[in-house]
Amino acid sequence: MTPQPAVRTARLPGGLVLPYAEQGPPSAPTVVLVHAVADSRRSFEPLMAELPGDLHVLAPSQRGHGGASCPPEGYRPADFAADLAAFWDLLGIGRAVLVGASSSGFTVRRFAADHPDRVRGLVFLGSPALLSDKPGAADLWESVSRFTDPLDPAVVRGMLESLLSRPLPRDFLDLMVSESLRAPARVWRDTFRGLLDETGPDGLDGITAPALVVWGDRDGILPRADQERLAAALPHSELLVHEGSGHVVYWEDPARTAADLAAFVSACGDRP
């Protein structure tokens, strides 16, 4: 049985505080999970519950999200990647498999390009090659750009439900709505604006680690061509399609996603 994750606090240089979940023995292969815009470490609870107990799994909440410090600025992928590097240093993480969920794929790509020696493998879960050209993303931005505090729970719930192809357990969806409401309106706006400003996946040919691109074929935001573009930009990659899943594959089918991730981590361990 997979052990319950412990919730800890990382205090980064400069005073930034990030809550994080940790499970599994530190001596085991390490997996770092990075959540999407307006989510938190808790968005990975179903996935972590399905992962085998012989993995060392870390899931931090990023700045402005899920009870982390909320500075007045610094919500672009480059800022989140710098925080991730500081988190990596603080915890003494060696090489690890790095997982980007949805929009955090931009952060993961930047971190891997800047620190290729730290990455054993990369996993992208419904992560865009480019977001600014997607009509679905433009529709989300139209709503987010008008957000003010306090956020409207009904609007947030509707946005989350729009990403799904099948219903989630009610208690988990309620939890995700609650976590999203913890991010101030300015964090939503600044983070989303930074995502739309990101360019395509050019310049990733220096990443030598293997990569797995996981995509649900009912994703209403990202078409298959986008995922093929991301996979093609990574020198050693595979595109894995989850039939019947929407944008958030790790919510809709956490058991299958966990099995795919565990198999990928094992295969990475066989590489020099």
Side-chain angles (χ1 to χ4, degrees):
M1 178 179 295
T2 302
Q4 283 288 102
V7 180
R8 310 189 193 282
T9 300
R11 299 183 181 276
L12 306 185
L16 197 69
V17 176
L18 305 182
Y20 68 98
E22 180 176 21
Q23 78 179 27
S27 59
T30 298
V31 178
V32 180
L33 307 174
V34 186
H35 67 78
V37 55
D39 286 342
S40 74
R41 62 171 181 81
R42 302 203 67 181
S43 65
F44 292 115
E45 287 181 357
L47 178 63
M48 292 177 71
E50 297 287 349
L51 288 171
D54 59 354
L55 294 178
H56 179 221
V57 185
L58 299 164
S61 288
Q62 300 182 85
R63 63 167 64 199
H65 298 74
S69 298
C70 195
E73 58 187 8
Y75 295 96
R76 294 181 174 270
D79 302 309
F80 293 124
D83 291 346
L84 185 59
F87 177 80
W88 213 278
D89 290 341
L90 182 69
L91 270 64
I93 302 170
R95 296 177 70 218
V97 171
L98 185 57
V99 181
S102 186
S103 60
S104 69
F106 289 117
T107 297
V108 164
R109 278 157 43 180
R110 187 174 293 265
F111 180 91
D114 292 343
H115 308 282
D117 57 322
R118 294 184 166 196
V119 179
R120 184 178 297 276
L122 292 170
V123 179
F124 298 91
L125 303 176
S127 297
L130 182 66
L131 199 59
S132 59
D133 63 341
K134 305 298 185 297
D139 291 342
L140 290 173
W141 171 241
E142 185 177 355
S143 294
V144 170
S145 65
R146 298 195 299 266
F147 275 8
T148 57
D149 294 315
L151 301 178
D152 185 339
V155 171
V156 171
R157 182 179 297 273
M159 291 180 67
L160 295 182
E161 290 177 338
S162 73
L163 303 176
L164 306 171
S165 70
R166 48 196 169 200
L168 299 179
R170 181 59 182 265
D171 58 345
F172 180 68
L173 181 59
D174 289 347
L175 173 63
M176 288 299 92
V177 172
S178 296
E179 289 297 287
S180 294
L181 293 172
R182 299 178 74 183
R186 64 177 176 84
V187 170
W188 279 79
R189 292 194 305 269
D190 291 354
T191 304
F192 212 98
R193 182 70 264 170
L195 297 171
L196 293 174
D197 288 343
E198 286 291 296
T199 58
D202 301 323
L204 301 183
D205 50 347
I207 299 175
T208 58
L212 181 66
V213 178
V214 182
W215 172 72
D217 66 355
R218 295 187 182 178
D219 191 326
I221 302 291
L222 307 178
R224 183 179 182 121
D226 176 88
Q227 297 295 274
E228 291 175 343
R229 180 183 179 188
L230 176 58
L234 296 157
H236 309 285
S237 67
E238 175 188 0
L239 173 60
L240 183 62
V241 177
H242 277 209
E243 299 82 1
S245 287
H247 181 64
V248 197
V249 292
Y250 56 101
W251 286 359
E252 294 194 28
D253 198 344
R256 180 179 177 186
T257 306
D260 293 336
L261 177 54
F264 178 77
V265 173
S266 179
C268 289
D270 294 337
R271 292 174 58 91

